[in-house]
Amino acid sequence: MIYIVPECGLCNRIRVLDSGISLANEWNVKLVVFWKLNNDLNTSFYDLFEPMYTNCGKVEIIEIINADYNFDVYKMYFKGLKYF
């Protein structure tokens, strides 16, 4: 499984998504995206894109609202609390 956290503006995030999808397809693993809504880009993933798919199925998008740079949110995800 590949976990990515696209950062900064829209163009940078698109590059990260493209790289993540390419790697997930090449390695045949699932892709999880932590999409942060912050001052850089305060827009929902689904307002910008349609659902994305890899060889292993639908890309899981986890939106984090008012995200500061801390790892508490990621720790919650890995403990099984997937939605915030």
Side-chain angles (χ1 to χ4, degrees):
M1 192 171 297
I2 297 175
Y3 300 92
I4 60 173
V5 184
E7 295 279 350
C8 300
L10 182 58
C11 290
N12 289 331
R13 292 182 188 216
I14 290 172
R15 282 195 294 257
V16 172
L17 288 170
D18 184 46
S19 297
I21 290 170
S22 295
L23 284 174
N25 282 333
E26 185 174 327
W27 296 344
N28 288 319
V29 295
K30 186 177 176 184
L31 177 63
V32 177
V33 177
F34 290 97
W35 187 263
K36 296 164 94 175
L37 283 76
N38 56 24
N39 290 334
D40 294 331
L41 184 64
N42 194 17
T43 304
S44 170
F45 176 89
Y46 295 106
D47 288 342
L48 299 169
F49 305 105
E50 294 182 0
M52 296 182 175
Y53 296 87
T54 64
N55 293 343
C56 292
K58 187 176 177 181
V59 174
E60 183 177 354
I61 307 297
I62 299 171
E63 291 190 342
I64 305 168
I65 300 170
N66 295 327
D68 290 326
Y69 190 75
N70 69 42
F71 289 98
D72 292 339
V73 172
Y74 309 117
K75 289 177 190 174
M76 288 171 56
Y77 177 80
F78 293 118
K79 288 182 181 177
L81 305 172
K82 292 188 177 183
Y83 303 100
F84 326 103

